[in-house]
Amino acid sequence: MSRLHVRVFELPKEGNRREEYEDAWAYDEETCRLAVADGASDAFESRLWARALVRSFVREPPPLEDRVRWEDMVRWLESSIEEWRARIDWERLPWYAEEKARRGAFSTLIGLTFAWSSSNAAQDAIFPGHWRALAIGDTCLFQVRGDAVIVRFPVEQAADFGTAPPLLSTRPDYNRRSLEALQTRSGECRPGDLFILATDALAAWFLEELEAGEQPWQRLEKLTPGRFTRMVEHLRWKGRMRNDDVTLMLGWVVGQRKEGILVGADAAQKATNCTPRRDRHVCN
Amino acid sequence: MPYTAEISRQNPSCILFLIDQSGSMGDPFGGEPGRSKAERLADAINRLLFELSIRCTKDQTEGVRNYYEVGVIGYGPRVGPTLGGKLAGQALVSIRDVANNPARVEERRRKVEDGAGGLVEETIRFPVWFDPVAQDGTPMCEALHLARSILAPWVQAHPASFPPIVINITDGEATDGDPRPAAGDLRKLATDDGNLLLFNLHLSSQPGAPILYPQDETGLPDEYARQLFQMSSLLPPHIREAAQSEGYAIGPQSRGFVFNADIVEVIKFLDIGTRPKGLR
């Protein structure tokens, strides 16, 4: 069975239509790859670009060693850039769209991969798994174990959310500089761990809650799509979450203790009220 | 808090230019040979409309989002709307209609980086909406009155919007009276987010340093400069920040006023003055 059980929730910016949602997400529970991206709203077809990035990552991530090589990233981005370019009807663009497209599309990206020490979840309860993540921009990853957040990546404090994070672009000349800001992180994981990927409006709220001594993942673990919508709308209304597209991806690590009790899947099942299933490449 | 409304399609913003088209605009900027103030200003306005159109374009399907209504009023031989082509005679036009209706599209060539360390020339399409005029006197009071008659119904219709921004660009004194009362009436218009903002940009006729976003009247050379200062609104917070990020020395009492500007300061003023607080 799958090592990872993933659920995704999304809500567009208040005042925008669903089709205008500019975040993108993709995951594959079999290959255990997750990605979330936040398209820059002042660029051209950022939605398309964000989607190209997350799908590319889940299909074939770049080589994630301890240091990602700049040349590997440039090469890896080429296929996403081609995909974005191919979806634009260049011949029929009016002058303003042509110029805007020329200036490029921009997006954050966070991607997460896992490696397991054995191929069978039943056998590896004693051996933790290993994860690697890549991030550019302010879309965030949090790793929760028990009642503590043990990883915050790449943003560690709510005050660090700036308005102009470095981004990935369809323009190679821009990426030349922004790739210097690319960060990687790795760690181990155990059954029962919860990985949270969130775009900045929700990530900022999450960090503020943590800094206030709260345990915000407890609310997130029990969400249904309806509860998620109500939670975000309420927080926006109270001014505690910025009005922006919101994407939340939850990944529970599933395994088996030597006593034969399934760990993680139980938590995931309770939280989402449904049986874990094997999802192949799923994206928005 | 005033001046915090974000620009959205539901609550668009409004930018109105008042452009001096008097005879002296046919001279070059003070201390520089070359093209006239009127011609260089026309280029700057066309460029701004180009940038605003692009700012409002997000994807292939929707085209230009109507975040702005824009107007250009000329005052010189006549006082009235001065965009050309299909937009002729219209006081305020949506940015979508601006983008789709330039008076003509010129082809210009520019050099861009080729991504491998070199430069390559490319042809781009440059739309033109506004042509220079330089003739007769400076009926600035009449232009300010016209601005008020255009914007009074606009603020009624858009109470939740960021208030209108009026940018008056002139190279000389008004020839139809003291413009301060008309400016005062204009600045009384308001939406729920604050009073209308009137910024004044004076184009240099003599060589000399510009006076940039002053907080008081010290250093202003004459009564005319003091008049324009008194007519100018304080910069709202997000525009103060934009000006500071461009390297200007800005204080809490800085006004949207530049005296003795050259074309570089004109372009920066237009950019800073039209930066949005937020664009949804």
Side-chain angles (χ1 to χ4, degrees), chain A residues 14-17 20 41 43-45 87-89 93 95-100 102-103 176 243, chain B residues 9-10 50-51 53-55 57-60 62 64-65 99-100 110 115 122 125 127 129 280:
Chain A
E14 169 70 41
N16 279 11
R17 301 190 296 267
E20 297 170 341
S41 60
F44 187 74
E45 291 289 2
R87 287 179 187 246
I88 291 175
D89 192 353
L93 288 183
W95 69 265
Y96 44 82
E98 184 186 0
E99 176 62 23
K100 189 86 186 231
R102 205 190 287 260
R103 296 179 187 194
R176 199 152 311 215
N243 183 22
Chain B
R9 284 158 291 177
Q10 296 83 14
F50 174 86
E51 289 296 329
S53 302
I54 288 165
R55 182 185 293 170
T57 303
K58 303 291 187 97
D59 57 50
Q60 303 175 84
E62 191 177 352
V64 176
R65 293 189 180 179
N100 286 320
R110 69 177 177 194
E122 61 178 12
R125 294 183 272 168
W129 291 272
R280 288 220 247 126

Side-chain angles (χ1 to χ4, degrees), chain A residues 234-246:
Chain A
H234 178 78
L235 288 172
R236 283 172 178 168
W237 176 68
K238 298 225 84 156
R240 290 172 53 208
M241 190 183 292
R242 201 166 50 78
N243 183 22
D244 195 359
D245 293 334
V246 178

Side-chain angles (χ1 to χ4, degrees), chain B residues 41-203:
Chain B
L41 180 62
D43 270 355
I45 299 284
N46 284 317
R47 172 134 224 122
L48 181 72
L49 294 175
F50 174 86
E51 289 296 329
L52 285 180
S53 302
I54 288 165
R55 182 185 293 170
C56 297
T57 303
K58 303 291 187 97
D59 57 50
Q60 303 175 84
T61 32
E62 191 177 352
V64 176
R65 293 189 180 179
N66 275 332
Y67 288 127
Y68 293 100
E69 290 187 59
V70 178
V72 184
I73 306 292
Y75 56 96
R78 287 168 303 107
V79 177
T82 193
L83 294 177
K86 294 209 179 78
L87 305 176
Q90 292 182 52
L92 283 181
V93 185
S94 74
I95 191 64
R96 176 180 299 152
D97 285 346
V98 168
N100 286 320
N101 296 288
R104 61 185 184 279
V105 179
E106 294 178 355
E107 285 207 342
R108 300 194 181 176
R109 299 185 64 74
R110 69 177 177 194
K111 289 199 165 68
V112 290
E113 291 176 35
D114 64 6
L119 291 175
V120 69
E121 242 193 10
E122 61 178 12
T123 307
I124 56 156
R125 294 183 272 168
F126 191 79
V128 173
W129 291 272
F130 172 69
D131 282 310
V133 167
Q135 202 179 314
D136 296 348
T138 311
M140 193 189 301
C141 297
E142 197 181 330
L144 290 164
H145 285 307
L146 179 60
R148 189 180 199 287
S149 70
I150 292 166
L151 293 175
W154 193 90
V155 298
Q156 291 281 353
H158 299 92
S161 281
F162 191 93
I165 295 178
V166 179
I167 301 181
N168 177 33
I169 306 177
T170 177
D171 78 333
E173 295 181 55
T175 51
D176 60 350
D178 180 346
R180 283 172 294 188
D185 284 344
L186 183 58
R187 290 170 63 196
K188 288 200 181 89
L189 293 180
T191 66
D192 294 343
D193 192 44
N195 281 58
L196 178 149
L197 294 166
L198 173 60
F199 298 150
N200 290 281
L201 179 54
H202 166 259
L203 307 183

Side-chain angles (χ1 to χ4, degrees), chain A residues 72-97:
Chain A
D72 289 339
M73 277 308 294
V74 168
R75 207 169 313 127
W76 182 77
L77 284 169
E78 279 167 9
S79 66
S80 299
I81 293 172
E82 246 336 286
E83 189 182 321
W84 178 82
R85 294 192 63 85
R87 287 179 187 246
I88 291 175
D89 192 353
W90 296 95
E91 297 299 307
R92 299 184 45 189
L93 288 183
W95 69 265
Y96 44 82

